[in-house]
Amino acid sequence: IEVGHYIQETGELFRPLNGENKRIYLDSTIEFVKEYQPKYFGMGVETNIFAEKNPDAFEEFVTFYNEVYDAIKEVSPGTKVFTVFQLEKMKGLSMWEVEESEPHWEMIDRFKTDIVAFTTYPGIFFREVSDIPENHYSEIKAYTTKPIAFMEIGWHSAASPTGWESSEENPLTFIRKFIDLTKDLNVEIAVWSFMYDIGEFEPFNTMGLITNEGKEKIAWWEWLK
């Protein structure tokens, strides 16, 4: 289970993190966790991007998240609790070679977590799979010894956007490289974001392993392996 609290495009909160809304969030979370005892419970999607877009609300969220973490552990000690970071932004890479960022690995230590979770979309930071450095994933080990989760993984297969053209071969090649570059990490979860192509927002609309007409791409079989 993974829950979000803000609009990713803008950083705007769904609801203000005031006392009443925090109580509702906390009560509903504890009610759910007590009943279902989930193995995993994530709070916050690409939290470091939220920090960039809404720094004041982020500070409030960090405090609240850690309170909810403690409350979950009281009623379901076996549930592994985490937040999710965007890996490439955390490394300080430039999205589309335009959107700048600074490394902020220290953010990991601000959250109580049982696993350290990331999204990874290197295809919007590197033009080719071959451009991904050999330490792209192993660098994580320098900042945490906890198990790792990749909650979203993807590479688009369309011959667009301009300058970042891809093909069905690229997701296949990326899957092989991802597996190789993470073989020495303690990866507990690895989720390819989309089974099917969906929506119209480039480049995510062609990150599925199956077209929206139901045709299996060559990367589908590699991911199943």
Side-chain angles (χ1 to χ4, degrees):
I1 304 299
E2 184 181 331
V3 296
H5 62 287
Y6 75 100
I7 301 169
Q8 286 181 273
E9 290 79 10
T10 64
E12 181 182 351
L13 292 165
F14 294 145
R15 302 171 187 84
L17 283 176
N18 56 32
E20 180 182 1
N21 286 331
K22 286 193 287 188
R23 179 184 56 79
I24 293 170
Y25 277 148
L26 176 60
D27 290 349
S28 60
T29 298
I30 298 309
E31 180 181 346
F32 177 87
V33 170
K34 284 176 70 175
E35 180 172 358
Y36 294 103
Q37 300 285 304
K39 186 172 182 178
Y40 300 100
F41 194 90
M43 293 179 286
V45 181
E46 298 186 332
T47 306
N48 50 330
I49 292 180
F50 173 56
E52 287 184 354
K53 295 183 176 181
N54 198 337
D56 291 339
F58 169 76
E59 292 299 327
E60 185 74 21
F61 173 73
V62 173
T63 301
F64 180 57
Y65 166 95
N66 288 324
E67 293 172 0
V68 177
Y69 176 96
D70 290 338
I72 290 175
K73 288 299 181 177
E74 288 183 9
V75 299
S76 182
T79 295
K80 295 184 179 182
V81 185
F82 59 93
T83 193
V84 183
F85 305 103
Q86 207 300 306
L87 176 63
E88 284 76 30
K89 295 285 285 184
M90 178 159 277
K91 293 166 71 71
L93 300 178
S94 176
M95 185 184 297
W96 305 122
E97 297 179 356
V98 173
E99 188 175 319
E100 298 292 339
S101 187
E102 294 292 330
H104 42 272
W105 292 101
E106 72 283 349
M107 191 178 291
I108 293 174
D109 294 329
R110 299 196 61 188
F111 292 88
K112 299 179 180 181
T113 61
D114 301 301
I115 55 178
V116 179
F118 299 97
T119 69
T120 180
Y121 293 108
I124 59 180
F125 295 86
F126 300 103
R127 294 179 185 267
E128 302 292 341
V129 176
S130 58
D131 294 334
I132 302 174
E134 292 299 304
N135 71 339
H136 187 69
Y137 296 106
S138 62
E139 184 183 10
I140 296 170
K141 293 192 294 184
Y143 301 98
T144 184
T145 58
K146 295 177 181 178
I148 305 301
F150 292 102
M151 303 305 296
E152 300 178 30
I153 306 167
W155 193 294
H156 63 293
S157 61
S160 63
T162 302
W164 297 80
E165 294 86 354
S166 187
S167 69
E168 277 200 32
E169 291 288 340
N170 277 354
L172 171 69
T173 305
F174 168 57
I175 288 170
R176 290 172 175 166
K177 186 157 190 172
F178 172 82
I179 296 299
D180 181 57
L181 296 186
T182 59
K183 64 180 183 295
D184 293 327
L185 283 176
N186 181 12
V187 178
E188 189 160 326
I189 300 173
V191 180
W192 192 271
S193 296
F194 308 104
M195 179 178 287
Y196 293 93
D197 288 341
I198 190 168
E200 299 179 356
F201 182 62
E202 281 193 309
F204 300 95
N205 59 331
T206 64
M207 285 189 185
L209 298 173
I210 303 173
T211 70
N212 52 22
E213 292 84 18
K215 180 181 178 293
E216 295 159 348
K217 302 179 187 180
I218 55 177
W220 163 255
W221 299 104
E222 192 70 20
W223 188 250
L224 287 186
K225 286 198 298 182

